[in-house]
Amino acid sequence: MAPVLEKQLPGAADNNNEEEEGQDLWTAILSEVSTTSSSKLPSGKNILLFGEDGSGKTALIAKLQGADHNKRGRGLEYMYLNVHDEDRDDLTRCNVWILDGDLYHKGLLKFAVSAQSLPDSLAVFVADMSRPWTIMESLKKWAGVLRDHVDKLKISPEDMREMEQKMVKAFQEYTEPEDAGPTSPLRRAPTAGEDEAVVLPLGDNTLTHNLGIPVLIVCTKCDAVSTLEKEHDYRDEHFDFIQSHIRQFCLQYGAGLIYTSVKEEKNMDLLYKYIVHKMYEFQFTTAALVVEKDAVFIPSGWDNEKKIGILHENLSTVRPDDSFEDFITKPPVRKLVHEKEINAEDEQVFLMKQQSLLSKQPATPTRGATESPGRTASGSPRPAGRAGQPSTTSSSPMAAVKKPDPNMKAGAANEGVLANFFNSLLSKKTGAPGSPGNVAAGAGVQGSAKKTEPGFD
């Protein structure tokens, strides 16, 4: 029996094709939704912030938060950054740990980063541009603190080597923004066999201190550049020398570099975009900025020895390999002379002190007692009989005048003669009515007269 062939209608094949295309469309939509839901922003990312006291660490993060935060923490301070992905409409929180500028608190790092959270961390070293003579010493100190902490973590050599290789690959795969793909402007578009591609060798001084995590150097208070020029006579040569040494340090750690100013809000938005790009692989389209000396930006992977050598062409009074501390010296401290404030003590306290001082001094004879009896306190002649006693001076003026001493000087002799002469005149007048001596004598005469009156009767 011959097989029965089904007779298909002319439009049946077209309907089947449409159904298959519809199923493929729904499959693509569901796959996209599933991929989007599984590619949410990761949580648990950490930023480790290091720097000296007063370098502006807390103010920097507060500005990125959009908040006014003037309080300074102590020990280990915790803050966070809100990260929003507009494309996925997703929101997450990035942890920020700020270590105190005192090395005494470095042991607190164990609460901020562990062996499990280290791969999801970004190290940020803050350098204070208002005190450029402290920059290199500070960077080396805090990099050493983080290096010691990483060495103490129980990370297997295989895992640590994998983290270091990841940093090397990210450094070497940097491309200029205009050459990058649409998905990640700072990374080359993936090509077939890229994972098997041989990594080109690095420079002699590049990534020699690989920490296994991304590193970013943030120079704060770059608005102080004008102050350094006016008050400390800094020139372009000084700033080029500072920048060259910082960039050499960045090469050793594979770090990026950015100059910021919270006061003038300089490069703050750029800093936020670069941080979320390094931690969450957000799109980033800003190229390196090296023209303005107070707004430098160098992404990790862009720099090399030849580009740094361009700065050396502007150095005339110093060599590139000279010691940083010998050329960028700390200015002498100017001692400010403040006028001492004088506080007046209470009036009664002052008088009591004077009274106690006077009571301790020995009693001194009065001036009148030490002078001649014939003179008053002012030195003028006075009558000798004013004291209430009868005068015994001779009534003859010439008798009272003493002969001058031939040995006495002429001026002193004349003064003594005149004084004796006037004293004799005053003594003579003591017998006149109204004088004390006359009153006493009159009283005696009256008494004797009264006693003789009964005899006449």
Side-chain angles (χ1 to χ4, degrees), residues 224-244:
V225 168
S226 58
T227 304
L228 294 172
E229 292 176 336
K230 294 178 182 178
E231 296 184 1
H232 303 296
D233 196 26
Y234 273 51
R235 302 180 301 276
D236 290 343
E237 182 181 20
H238 291 80
F239 297 111
D240 290 342
F241 185 80
I242 294 171
Q243 185 186 145
S244 67

PDB file of all heavy atoms in Angstrom, residues 224-244:
ATOM      1  N   ALA A 224      46.249  75.238  46.698  1.00  0.00           N
ATOM      2  CA  ALA A 224      47.381  75.871  47.391  1.00  0.00           C
ATOM      3  C   ALA A 224      48.554  76.134  46.461  1.00  0.00           C
ATOM      4  O   ALA A 224      49.570  76.682  46.915  1.00  0.00           O
ATOM      5  CB  ALA A 224      47.837  74.994  48.557  1.00  0.00           C
ATOM      6  N   VAL A 225      48.453  75.782  45.190  1.00  0.00           N
ATOM      7  CA  VAL A 225      49.547  76.022  44.247  1.00  0.00           C
ATOM      8  C   VAL A 225      49.857  77.512  44.154  1.00  0.00           C
ATOM      9  O   VAL A 225      51.022  77.922  44.163  1.00  0.00           O
ATOM     10  CB  VAL A 225      49.192  75.430  42.867  1.00  0.00           C
ATOM     11  CG1 VAL A 225      50.170  75.928  41.808  1.00  0.00           C
ATOM     12  CG2 VAL A 225      49.196  73.913  42.916  1.00  0.00           C
ATOM     13  N   SER A 226      48.823  78.333  44.071  1.00  0.00           N
ATOM     14  CA  SER A 226      49.046  79.781  43.995  1.00  0.00           C
ATOM     15  C   SER A 226      49.679  80.316  45.270  1.00  0.00           C
ATOM     16  O   SER A 226      50.518  81.223  45.231  1.00  0.00           O
ATOM     17  CB  SER A 226      47.722  80.497  43.734  1.00  0.00           C
ATOM     18  OG  SER A 226      46.768  80.202  44.741  1.00  0.00           O
ATOM     19  N   THR A 227      49.311  79.751  46.406  1.00  0.00           N
ATOM     20  CA  THR A 227      49.914  80.181  47.674  1.00  0.00           C
ATOM     21  C   THR A 227      51.393  79.812  47.727  1.00  0.00           C
ATOM     22  O   THR A 227      52.220  80.596  48.213  1.00  0.00           O
ATOM     23  CB  THR A 227      49.169  79.526  48.851  1.00  0.00           C
ATOM     24  OG1 THR A 227      47.779  79.844  48.769  1.00  0.00           O
ATOM     25  CG2 THR A 227      49.725  80.020  50.177  1.00  0.00           C
ATOM     26  N   LEU A 228      51.737  78.637  47.243  1.00  0.00           N
ATOM     27  CA  LEU A 228      53.147  78.241  47.211  1.00  0.00           C
ATOM     28  C   LEU A 228      53.959  79.150  46.299  1.00  0.00           C
ATOM     29  O   LEU A 228      55.124  79.454  46.591  1.00  0.00           O
ATOM     30  CB  LEU A 228      53.264  76.787  46.736  1.00  0.00           C
ATOM     31  CG  LEU A 228      52.675  75.720  47.661  1.00  0.00           C
ATOM     32  CD1 LEU A 228      52.695  74.361  46.982  1.00  0.00           C
ATOM     33  CD2 LEU A 228      53.449  75.655  48.968  1.00  0.00           C
ATOM     34  N   GLU A 229      53.354  79.601  45.228  1.00  0.00           N
ATOM     35  CA  GLU A 229      54.061  80.503  44.323  1.00  0.00           C
ATOM     36  C   GLU A 229      54.299  81.865  44.951  1.00  0.00           C
ATOM     37  O   GLU A 229      55.372  82.472  44.777  1.00  0.00           O
ATOM     38  CB  GLU A 229      53.260  80.664  43.026  1.00  0.00           C
ATOM     39  CG  GLU A 229      53.210  79.412  42.177  1.00  0.00           C
ATOM     40  CD  GLU A 229      52.332  79.572  40.960  1.00  0.00           C
ATOM     41  OE1 GLU A 229      51.430  80.443  40.989  1.00  0.00           O
ATOM     42  OE2 GLU A 229      52.546  78.851  39.971  1.00  0.00           O
ATOM     43  N   LYS A 230      53.333  82.365  45.705  1.00  0.00           N
ATOM     44  CA  LYS A 230      53.444  83.708  46.282  1.00  0.00           C
ATOM     45  C   LYS A 230      54.303  83.725  47.539  1.00  0.00           C
ATOM     46  O   LYS A 230      55.173  84.587  47.696  1.00  0.00           O
ATOM     47  CB  LYS A 230      52.043  84.242  46.601  1.00  0.00           C
ATOM     48  CG  LYS A 230      51.181  84.479  45.368  1.00  0.00           C
ATOM     49  CD  LYS A 230      49.788  84.953  45.773  1.00  0.00           C
ATOM     50  CE  LYS A 230      48.891  85.148  44.553  1.00  0.00           C
ATOM     51  NZ  LYS A 230      47.526  85.567  44.933  1.00  0.00           N
ATOM     52  N   GLU A 231      54.055  82.785  48.434  1.00  0.00           N
ATOM     53  CA  GLU A 231      54.703  82.839  49.745  1.00  0.00           C
ATOM     54  C   GLU A 231      56.044  82.105  49.789  1.00  0.00           C
ATOM     55  O   GLU A 231      56.925  82.494  50.559  1.00  0.00           O
ATOM     56  CB  GLU A 231      53.764  82.242  50.801  1.00  0.00           C
ATOM     57  CG  GLU A 231      52.473  83.032  50.979  1.00  0.00           C
ATOM     58  CD  GLU A 231      51.617  82.477  52.090  1.00  0.00           C
ATOM     59  OE1 GLU A 231      52.050  81.482  52.728  1.00  0.00           O
ATOM     60  OE2 GLU A 231      50.524  83.027  52.333  1.00  0.00           O
ATOM     61  N   HIS A 232      56.205  81.048  48.994  1.00  0.00           N
ATOM     62  CA  HIS A 232      57.431  80.244  49.058  1.00  0.00           C
ATOM     63  C   HIS A 232      58.228  80.260  47.760  1.00  0.00           C
ATOM     64  O   HIS A 232      59.162  79.472  47.621  1.00  0.00           O
ATOM     65  CB  HIS A 232      57.084  78.803  49.440  1.00  0.00           C
ATOM     66  CG  HIS A 232      56.344  78.685  50.750  1.00  0.00           C
ATOM     67  ND1 HIS A 232      56.897  79.038  51.964  1.00  0.00           N
ATOM     68  CD2 HIS A 232      55.079  78.288  51.025  1.00  0.00           C
ATOM     69  CE1 HIS A 232      56.021  78.838  52.940  1.00  0.00           C
ATOM     70  NE2 HIS A 232      54.901  78.389  52.386  1.00  0.00           N
ATOM     71  N   ASP A 233      57.840  81.123  46.833  1.00  0.00           N
ATOM     72  CA  ASP A 233      58.593  81.328  45.590  1.00  0.00           C
ATOM     73  C   ASP A 233      58.723  80.026  44.788  1.00  0.00           C
ATOM     74  O   ASP A 233      59.781  79.737  44.224  1.00  0.00           O
ATOM     75  CB  ASP A 233      59.972  81.930  45.891  1.00  0.00           C
ATOM     76  CG  ASP A 233      60.628  82.522  44.643  1.00  0.00           C
ATOM     77  OD1 ASP A 233      59.890  82.902  43.725  1.00  0.00           O
ATOM     78  OD2 ASP A 233      61.871  82.595  44.603  1.00  0.00           O
ATOM     79  N   TYR A 234      57.651  79.228  44.741  1.00  0.00           N
ATOM     80  CA  TYR A 234      57.653  78.027  43.914  1.00  0.00           C
ATOM     81  C   TYR A 234      57.467  78.431  42.449  1.00  0.00           C
ATOM     82  O   TYR A 234      56.670  79.303  42.131  1.00  0.00           O
ATOM     83  CB  TYR A 234      56.543  77.071  44.340  1.00  0.00           C
ATOM     84  CG  TYR A 234      56.956  76.126  45.440  1.00  0.00           C
ATOM     85  CD1 TYR A 234      57.561  76.601  46.606  1.00  0.00           C
ATOM     86  CD2 TYR A 234      56.731  74.765  45.341  1.00  0.00           C
ATOM     87  CE1 TYR A 234      57.930  75.734  47.618  1.00  0.00           C
ATOM     88  CE2 TYR A 234      57.089  73.895  46.361  1.00  0.00           C
ATOM     89  CZ  TYR A 234      57.701  74.389  47.495  1.00  0.00           C
ATOM     90  OH  TYR A 234      58.059  73.530  48.497  1.00  0.00           O
ATOM     91  N   ARG A 235      58.183  77.756  41.569  1.00  0.00           N
ATOM     92  CA  ARG A 235      58.069  78.004  40.129  1.00  0.00           C
ATOM     93  C   ARG A 235      57.591  76.730  39.437  1.00  0.00           C
ATOM     94  O   ARG A 235      57.399  75.691  40.080  1.00  0.00           O
ATOM     95  CB  ARG A 235      59.425  78.441  39.567  1.00  0.00           C
ATOM     96  CG  ARG A 235      59.999  79.685  40.238  1.00  0.00           C
ATOM     97  CD  ARG A 235      61.343  80.065  39.624  1.00  0.00           C
ATOM     98  NE  ARG A 235      62.324  79.003  39.732  1.00  0.00           N
ATOM     99  CZ  ARG A 235      63.088  78.783  40.797  1.00  0.00           C
ATOM    100  NH1 ARG A 235      62.961  79.565  41.863  1.00  0.00           N
ATOM    101  NH2 ARG A 235      63.964  77.800  40.810  1.00  0.00           N
ATOM    102  N   ASP A 236      57.395  76.834  38.119  1.00  0.00           N
ATOM    103  CA  ASP A 236      56.940  75.660  37.363  1.00  0.00           C
ATOM    104  C   ASP A 236      57.917  74.499  37.496  1.00  0.00           C
ATOM    105  O   ASP A 236      57.517  73.323  37.457  1.00  0.00           O
ATOM    106  CB  ASP A 236      56.773  76.028  35.883  1.00  0.00           C
ATOM    107  CG  ASP A 236      55.582  76.951  35.656  1.00  0.00           C
ATOM    108  OD1 ASP A 236      54.731  77.036  36.564  1.00  0.00           O
ATOM    109  OD2 ASP A 236      55.511  77.586  34.585  1.00  0.00           O
ATOM    110  N   GLU A 237      59.183  74.829  37.672  1.00  0.00           N
ATOM    111  CA  GLU A 237      60.185  73.788  37.826  1.00  0.00           C
ATOM    112  C   GLU A 237      59.923  72.951  39.073  1.00  0.00           C
ATOM    113  O   GLU A 237      60.091  71.719  39.057  1.00  0.00           O
ATOM    114  CB  GLU A 237      61.572  74.418  37.893  1.00  0.00           C
ATOM    115  CG  GLU A 237      62.709  73.416  38.003  1.00  0.00           C
ATOM    116  CD  GLU A 237      64.061  74.101  38.101  1.00  0.00           C
ATOM    117  OE1 GLU A 237      64.098  75.292  38.462  1.00  0.00           O
ATOM    118  OE2 GLU A 237      65.069  73.435  37.818  1.00  0.00           O
ATOM    119  N   HIS A 238      59.507  73.601  40.152  1.00  0.00           N
ATOM    120  CA  HIS A 238      59.209  72.870  41.382  1.00  0.00           C
ATOM    121  C   HIS A 238      58.032  71.912  41.185  1.00  0.00           C
ATOM    122  O   HIS A 238      58.079  70.745  41.610  1.00  0.00           O
ATOM    123  CB  HIS A 238      58.890  73.851  42.510  1.00  0.00           C
ATOM    124  CG  HIS A 238      60.069  74.659  42.985  1.00  0.00           C
ATOM    125  ND1 HIS A 238      60.523  75.768  42.316  1.00  0.00           N
ATOM    126  CD2 HIS A 238      60.889  74.511  44.056  1.00  0.00           C
ATOM    127  CE1 HIS A 238      61.567  76.271  42.951  1.00  0.00           C
ATOM    128  NE2 HIS A 238      61.811  75.522  44.010  1.00  0.00           N
ATOM    129  N   PHE A 239      56.979  72.403  40.549  1.00  0.00           N
ATOM    130  CA  PHE A 239      55.794  71.561  40.366  1.00  0.00           C
ATOM    131  C   PHE A 239      56.059  70.428  39.378  1.00  0.00           C
ATOM    132  O   PHE A 239      55.522  69.322  39.549  1.00  0.00           O
ATOM    133  CB  PHE A 239      54.631  72.429  39.892  1.00  0.00           C
ATOM    134  CG  PHE A 239      54.223  73.487  40.888  1.00  0.00           C
ATOM    135  CD1 PHE A 239      54.437  74.819  40.633  1.00  0.00           C
ATOM    136  CD2 PHE A 239      53.645  73.131  42.095  1.00  0.00           C
ATOM    137  CE1 PHE A 239      54.073  75.793  41.546  1.00  0.00           C
ATOM    138  CE2 PHE A 239      53.274  74.091  43.028  1.00  0.00           C
ATOM    139  CZ  PHE A 239      53.495  75.427  42.744  1.00  0.00           C
ATOM    140  N   ASP A 240      56.880  70.654  38.369  1.00  0.00           N
ATOM    141  CA  ASP A 240      57.250  69.570  37.456  1.00  0.00           C
ATOM    142  C   ASP A 240      58.092  68.520  38.165  1.00  0.00           C
ATOM    143  O   ASP A 240      57.934  67.315  37.929  1.00  0.00           O
ATOM    144  CB  ASP A 240      58.015  70.128  36.255  1.00  0.00           C
ATOM    145  CG  ASP A 240      57.124  70.934  35.326  1.00  0.00           C
ATOM    146  OD1 ASP A 240      55.893  70.776  35.415  1.00  0.00           O
ATOM    147  OD2 ASP A 240      57.663  71.732  34.534  1.00  0.00           O
ATOM    148  N   PHE A 241      58.970  68.962  39.048  1.00  0.00           N
ATOM    149  CA  PHE A 241      59.800  68.029  39.812  1.00  0.00           C
ATOM    150  C   PHE A 241      58.939  67.185  40.743  1.00  0.00           C
ATOM    151  O   PHE A 241      59.130  65.959  40.858  1.00  0.00           O
ATOM    152  CB  PHE A 241      60.850  68.822  40.595  1.00  0.00           C
ATOM    153  CG  PHE A 241      61.839  67.970  41.339  1.00  0.00           C
ATOM    154  CD1 PHE A 241      62.915  67.394  40.685  1.00  0.00           C
ATOM    155  CD2 PHE A 241      61.702  67.745  42.698  1.00  0.00           C
ATOM    156  CE1 PHE A 241      63.823  66.605  41.364  1.00  0.00           C
ATOM    157  CE2 PHE A 241      62.604  66.962  43.391  1.00  0.00           C
ATOM    158  CZ  PHE A 241      63.669  66.397  42.727  1.00  0.00           C
ATOM    159  N   ILE A 242      57.968  67.829  41.399  1.00  0.00           N
ATOM    160  CA  ILE A 242      57.058  67.099  42.291  1.00  0.00           C
ATOM    161  C   ILE A 242      56.241  66.082  41.504  1.00  0.00           C
ATOM    162  O   ILE A 242      56.100  64.916  41.899  1.00  0.00           O
ATOM    163  CB  ILE A 242      56.133  68.089  43.030  1.00  0.00           C
ATOM    164  CG1 ILE A 242      56.944  68.971  43.993  1.00  0.00           C
ATOM    165  CG2 ILE A 242      55.041  67.346  43.785  1.00  0.00           C
ATOM    166  CD1 ILE A 242      56.143  70.107  44.590  1.00  0.00           C
ATOM    167  N   GLN A 243      55.712  66.507  40.376  1.00  0.00           N
ATOM    168  CA  GLN A 243      54.878  65.614  39.571  1.00  0.00           C
ATOM    169  C   GLN A 243      55.672  64.431  39.034  1.00  0.00           C
ATOM    170  O   GLN A 243      55.161  63.293  39.006  1.00  0.00           O
ATOM    171  CB  GLN A 243      54.254  66.394  38.402  1.00  0.00           C
ATOM    172  CG  GLN A 243      53.278  65.582  37.589  1.00  0.00           C
ATOM    173  CD  GLN A 243      52.782  66.329  36.360  1.00  0.00           C
ATOM    174  OE1 GLN A 243      52.542  65.736  35.305  1.00  0.00           O
ATOM    175  NE2 GLN A 243      52.632  67.636  36.469  1.00  0.00           N
ATOM    176  N   SER A 244      56.904  64.674  38.637  1.00  0.00           N
ATOM    177  CA  SER A 244      57.709  63.568  38.100  1.00  0.00           C
ATOM    178  C   SER A 244      57.974  62.510  39.157  1.00  0.00           C
ATOM    179  O   SER A 244      57.913  61.303  38.876  1.00  0.00           O
ATOM    180  CB  SER A 244      59.032  64.110  37.547  1.00  0.00           C
ATOM    181  OG  SER A 244      59.859  64.617  38.590  1.00  0.00           O
TER     182      SER A 244
END
